[in-house]
Every structure is written in C-alpha cells, then in structure tokens.
C-alpha cells in the first residue's frame, strides 16, 4: 500500500535557507555594510522561550543574518520594554524585531507588539499588518511565520488550493487566524473551527485541506478524515515518553499514523511545520533588509 | 402556517436613532459646543452615490449630528483629496469622515482610505481598524456599518450565535469579510464562501445562520436552506419592474418568499439590513464624538 506524500518541512526549509544564504551573500558582495539584522527580545527565564530563541538565533547566523540579543529580567517594567522597542525601531542595523511571547503577566503584550514598527514586524502581529493581510487590495509587509510556512509548503508541493474546502482548527493570532485568511486569499472556501465548535469531526470529514493548530496531542482522529485530504499539523505537544532520553517526545495535533492511512499528503511532526516557521522568520528578515536597503 | 420572525431593520433602526438622538441632546445639555460631526466626501456625479450621501445626511440631521458636505469634481486629483482628508483629520468639529465609494478610477482608493485617521474612520475600513477587529485581545475603534448592523439586529432579536454554524457568502472589505470576523468573535463556526466556492448549496444546507452579501438578485434558493435557519440578506439589487413608478424594485440576494418557507427568522428587503447600516453610521459617529470629548 502506498502512503501519503510527506510534506517534508525539514528538507524544504534547508532549501529555503540555502536560497536565503545566497541572497545575504549577494547583498554583502554589493556593499559590505549591507547585512540583514534581527533583534531578539526575551524577557524572563522560561526555558522553552530561551530554547526557541537560541534555535532561531543559530538559524540566523547560518544564513548570514546578524542577530542582536536582548535578554532582560522578568521584573522589567512595561515602559522600559516599550523604550527598548522604540530604540530598535530607530536602529538602522535592525530590520526585524522579534519579541518572544509570552511576556510576563505584568506586561501588556498588546501594547508592546503595537509599538513595533510596521516595517520591522517580522512576526506579523501588528494590527496594521494583520489588517493589510485581511483586506483585499492591500499587501501586508509581513505575515506570521507559521502560517506563511504552511502556505510555502503547500506551494512548493504544488497542492491546489483554489475552490477547495479548507478547515482550520484554531484561531490564534499567530497561527489559526492568519492561516484562515491566507487560504481564503488563495480562494479556498474556509471554515474556522475552535473550542466552541460543536461536532468538529463533521467539519473535518468535509475538508480537502485540514490545518490543525489546537495545541492538543492527537486531537484529530484518522477516522475523521476525508479520503485524500491534505493534512497540515501545526501542533507541537510534549508527551511523556520514558524510552526517550529527554523523557518526552513531540506529537502533533493529529493522530499521525492513523491519518497517514487516509491522507494524500501530510506534514510529519517533528520535521513538518516547525522548520518552515524558522525558515519564514529568516525569509521575512532578509526581505525586510532588502526593502529597507531598497535592493 | 406560521411564517418566520421578520428581523425588522426599519423599526429597530428607528429605535436606535431615538436612542442616539437622546445621547446628542444630553451632550448638548452638558455643553452647547459638544455636537457630533460627520464629514461626507463625495467625488464625481454618480447618482447612486449622491442618493446614498443625501439619505445619510438627512438621517444625521434628524438625530442631531452636524454634517459637513464636500462635493468635489470628478477630475479632482488624488493629492488634493488626500489633503482634504488630512484637513478633516485635524478639524476638531469632525468626529467621523465618510469617503463615499467608489472613487473615480484615477484615484487610488486604498491610499485615500489609509489617510483617514484611525480615530475618525467611521466606516471601519482602515487596516488598523480591521486588524484590531480580527486580532484577539484588540478592540477596533470602528467596525464597518453594514456588518455591525447585522450583528446588532441579531443581538436585539436575541438570536444565539455561539457554537452555531454560520455561512457568509461574500468576502468584500466592507461587508462579507468583517461579517465573518464578527460572527467568529461571537464563537460561531464560520465558513467563508465566495465566487470560487464550488457547490455553494451544500454549505448553505448546513447553515444555522446564513449571511448573503453577494450582489446577485435572488442568488440563494429557498430550497437550499436548512429548516429553521436564520437568514440575513444584505443584498440590494435593482430589478426592472414596469409596475413600479421608478421602473425597478429592490430585491435581495436570497429568494425572499421561498426562504420564508424554511427560515426561522429573516431580514426583509427593503427594510432589513439597509436601515441598520445607516443607524450604525450614526452610532459610530456619536460614539466617536463621545470618545473625543471624553464623555
Ligand atoms: N510548529 C510551529 O512552529 C508552531 C507550532 N505551534 C503549535 O501549534 C499549536 C497551536 O498553537 P497556538 O495557535 O499558538 O495555540 P493557542 O492556544 O493560542 O490556540 C489554540 C486554538 O485551538 C483552539 N482549541 C483549543 N481546544 C480546542 C478544542 N478542544 N477543539 C477545537 N479547538 C480547540 C482554541 O480555540 P479558542 O479560540 O476557542 O480558545 C484556539 O483557537 C500548539 O500545539 C503549538 O505548540 C505554535 C506556533 C508555532
Ligand atoms: N444593505 C446595505 O446597507 C448594503 C448592501 N450592500 C449590498 O450587499 C451586496 C454585496 O455588497 P458588497 O460586499 O459591497 O459587494 P462586492 O461586489 O464587493 O462583493 C461581492 C462578494 O460576493 C461574491 N460573489 C460574487 N458572485 C458570487 C457567486 N456567483 N457565488 C458566490 N459568491 C459570489 C464575491 O466573491 P469574490 O470575492 O470571489 O469576487 C464577493 O466576495 C450587494 O447587493 C450590495 O448592494 C452593500 C453594502 C451595504
């Protein structure tokens, strides 16, 4: 029996990073002072956040993006954080600003994100950028990296979208919501499901393209799928596993093995959406630098 | 046989206008200089646009909103129009700016709309306002009047939304798109359909709440409806009719009589969504004035 196409985010991401590396080299060859720069702002000591930032920084350095790290104490005041963002907005070497979420609870996340210059908002979370994504006739400067990575994967595997029934489970600012809008812009008929949706299986059964961005391990059952569906599994959930050295393994928001019996294409976890997210962060930063340098 | 509840936009709008009139009077009683003001910008000679502006102005005057009319020649340059918008942004008597669409083809509509101050964008078409509508944790200053009017009608008739299957046909910036987002914010499971959707009837058949914003007379057939569906018909289409003095009559985007056989509630056309749109324009202007006056 033939299994589904595996939408290989790891390999695709490697290819994209190769392309970006060449772009960075071409920039530098033109003018040695032209180096894309990404500023990281990390507040507090969450180990998961620190890990994400470390991974992203490493990926930047590999393609030739200069990183600027700002690791700040948990107790930092909101005003001080806003001032840092303003400095980074004004800093001409910085082309992208990434404030690692979540922020400590005493800080108003929205106020900080709104301060990031629309021109350096590589995470695509500024209302102006989301509004420009949603409105017809507008082009956002930046789109959130995870949904952008999902779209890029669909594009590179030439999965048709127009006219298809797409179901997106999850409506977070950073994944589900922009994902729905991107699929709609590509002319899918899009249904947005969430925790208040009744009988989710009935929607999944109709989906030609299913995007699961829920944050619940193996939430989507293989038996729910429409035969031949394309499955994008955004979930990254830790499940205890004593057979692993780390004590856990990563599983997605869909039953991976059961879904493979019905899907025509599926993203593995890990190695699917995760690496694409990082590739899109690099891509957004390099594009931003090229825009600001007017190249 | 009992028919569906008619969602009476005319009566509801009259009630809302009465409420707004009282608000305007209360403002004036506090300080005679506090008068909500709405500026109308009309470029060119389209008779339909001129009619809409006239109707809206009249409605403003009835509740006590001061109107500022700017009727400009078709040949007006984009820069001059942008300058007018900037003046209106700075004018302290003006709390809302309505640029009647469509603009002549030599003018970049988007550039003009983007110039309107986010604080006076009573049509809710600025990317920042749409972004704030869409993002969780944000509140838009203004939401587009037609979808806001549909929601207000649902609210006043106590139609439950949470967990319901909503289908919105149409995804325009001014109607379909914000409508989908408003229903999603109220926890409906929302499907966005449009001209590239295949087999629209199959979606309509599942809808507990159907919003038709297509611009095609009687597009939705009564036989498609799920029994008991709530139908919001946004369409306003002119159909030739020699029995009428004007030579036409207005019909919606759904087969009104056939739909009444299956729906549990439905907006008539005319007298449904149309009057609510105007009421919401007045509402947005009065709210804006109260915000700016800090009342
Ligand atoms: N691969 C990558 O690079 C990335 C992976 N992720 C992963 O993607 C997943 C989603 O992330 P994120 O969007 O940030 O998560 P959020 O927690 O912000 O959002 C989860 C969404 O899922 C919905 N949901 C929760 N429970 C249910 C349920 N029982 N039925 C239906 N819907 C439900 C929620 O609905 P409601 O809105 O009603 O609360 C919400 O919209 C996580 O596993 C995360 O780790 C995230 C970012 C990047
Ligand atoms: N009552 C009121 O106050 C108001 C009423 N209206 C009325 O509402 C209607 C819609 O207005 P508006 O949103 O501005 O119109 P637009 O023309 O801007 O948008 C129409 C939408 O309908 C979709 N559509 C067109 N044909 C089909 C089809 N065959 N099948 C499915 N979808 C289709 C289009 O899809 P696609 O995106 O793929 O092109 C588009 O998204 C009109 O009748 C208008 O007169 C509008 C504003 C106020």
């Amino acid at each position: 029996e033939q299994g589904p196409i595996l939408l290989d985010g790891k390999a695709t991401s490697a290819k994209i990073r190769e392309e970006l590396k060449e772009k960075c080299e071409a920039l530098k060859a033109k003018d040695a002072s032209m180096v894309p720069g990404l500023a990281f702002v990390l507040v507090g000591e969450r180990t998961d956040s620190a890990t994400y930032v470390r991974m992203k920084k490493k990926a930047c350095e590999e393609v030739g993006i200069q990183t600027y790290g700002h690791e700040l104490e948990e107790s930092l005041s909101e005003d001080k954080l806003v001032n840092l963002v303003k400095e980074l907005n004004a800093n001409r070497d910085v082309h992208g600003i990434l404030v690692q979420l979540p922020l400590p609870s005493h800080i108003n996340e929205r106020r900080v994100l709104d301060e990031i210059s629309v021109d350096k908002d590589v995470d695509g979370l500024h209302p102006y950028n989301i509004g420009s994504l949603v409105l017809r006739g507008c082009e956002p400067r930046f789109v959130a990296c995870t949904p952008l990575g999902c779209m890029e994967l669909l594009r590179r595997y030439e999965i048709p979208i127009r006219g298809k029934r797409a179901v997106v489970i999850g409506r977070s600012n950073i994944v589900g919501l922009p994902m729905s809008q991107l699929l709609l812009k590509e002319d899918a008929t899009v249904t947005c499901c969430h925790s208040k949706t009744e009988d989710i299986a009935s929607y999944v059964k109709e989906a030609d393209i299913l995007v699961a961005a829920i944050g619940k391990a193996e939430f989507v059952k293989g038996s729910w799928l429409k035969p031949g569906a394309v499955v994008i599994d955004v979930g990254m959930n830790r499940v205890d596993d004593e057979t692993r050295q780390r004590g856990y393994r990563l599983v997605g928001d869909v039953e991976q093995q059961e879904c493979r019996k019905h899907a025509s294409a599926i993203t593995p976890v890990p190695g699917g959406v995760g690496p694409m997210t990082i590739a899109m962060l690099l891509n957004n930063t390099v594009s931003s630098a090229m825009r600001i340098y007017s190249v």
Side-chain angles (χ1 to χ4, degrees), chain A:
Chain A
E1 199 190 316
Q2 214 185 329
I5 298 169
L6 291 189
L7 303 171
D8 186 340
K10 201 169 164 197
T12 308
S13 159
K15 210 163 144 191
I16 293 169
R17 289 195 261 188
E18 212 41 61
E19 293 162 15
L20 291 171
K21 195 171 178 180
E22 281 165 24
K23 282 192 183 169
C24 288
E25 280 160 6
L27 263 184
K28 208 163 195 168
K30 251 195 175 157
D31 180 338
S33 77
M34 294 204 294
V35 180
L38 180 56
F40 290 88
V41 179
L42 176 62
V43 185
E45 321 248 306
R46 289 177 62 117
T47 48
D48 56 344
S49 293
T51 307
Y52 291 140
V53 167
R54 203 173 335 104
M55 280 169 55
K56 292 174 190 171
K57 272 190 182 165
K58 184 162 161 280
C60 281
E61 281 146 21
E62 280 167 15
V63 304
I65 293 170
Q66 179 71 49
T67 62
Y68 302 89
H70 295 270
E71 268 126 64
L72 304 156
E73 283 185 11
E74 179 86 23
S75 62
L76 185 80
S77 76
E78 186 177 305
D79 285 342
K80 284 217 171 113
L81 183 53
V82 165
N83 283 338
L84 171 60
V85 168
K86 285 182 178 164
E87 272 170 39
L88 294 171
N89 284 341
N91 184 335
R92 303 194 56 192
D93 296 329
V94 169
H95 306 104
I97 301 170
L98 189 149
V99 175
Q100 184 66 39
L101 302 181
L103 291 170
S105 56
H106 68 279
I107 295 179
N108 177 347
E109 211 160 272
R110 203 60 253 175
R111 179 171 165 226
V112 175
L113 296 177
D114 279 18
E115 282 297 338
I116 296 176
S117 161
V118 170
D119 292 323
K120 300 188 177 183
D121 174 36
V122 284
D123 261 345
L125 284 173
H126 194 284
Y128 192 92
N129 276 321
I130 294 267
S132 304
L133 167 65
V134 164
L135 285 170
R136 303 183 90 188
C138 286
E139 278 302 320
R141 286 254 200 287
F142 302 103
V143 176
C145 302
T146 302
L148 191 61
C150 296
M151 294 305 288
E152 187 64 20
L153 211 45
L154 292 173
R155 199 180 67 77
R156 294 199 180 219
Y157 279 89
E158 297 180 357
I159 308 265
I161 299 175
R162 165 174 287 200
K164 298 294 175 194
R165 298 189 177 218
V167 170
V168 178
I169 313 180
R171 54 175 167 173
S172 69
N173 291 345
I174 195 143
V175 189
L177 198 136
M179 188 70 212
S180 303
Q181 292 297 321
L182 287 165
L183 288 165
L184 185 62
K185 279 219 162 168
E186 295 285 332
D187 290 331
T189 300
V190 181
T191 301
C192 309
C193 298
H194 45 76
S195 70
K196 303 302 182 305
T197 296
E198 286 169 17
D199 192 7
I200 284 216
S202 69
Y203 296 93
V204 172
K205 278 192 177 115
E206 303 286 330
D208 300 311
I209 299 173
L210 175 72
V211 180
I214 310 161
K216 292 202 165 14
E218 302 186 321
F219 180 90
V220 174
K221 309 304 166 204
S223 60
W224 296 355
L225 291 189
K226 176 173 172 176
V230 173
V231 178
I232 305 284
D233 186 355
V234 181
M236 293 208 303
N237 308 290
R238 290 185 180 191
V239 168
D240 291 339
D241 185 343
E242 292 182 1
T243 71
R244 305 286 172 111
Q245 210 185 342
R246 293 182 298 191
Y248 67 85
R249 64 195 155 88
L250 281 184
V251 300
D253 288 344
V254 314
E255 286 186 338
Q256 183 71 221
Q257 292 313 323
E258 286 303 309
C259 283
R260 287 193 187 186
K261 293 182 186 161
H262 305 281
S264 64
I266 188 168
T267 55
V269 175
V273 175
M276 291 303 292
T277 296
I278 294 190
M280 290 304 107
L281 175 65
L282 308 178
N283 174 72
N284 283 355
T285 305
V286 173
S287 304
S288 179
M290 292 176 71
R291 237 196 97 255
I292 291 174
Y293 290 136
S294 316
V295 180

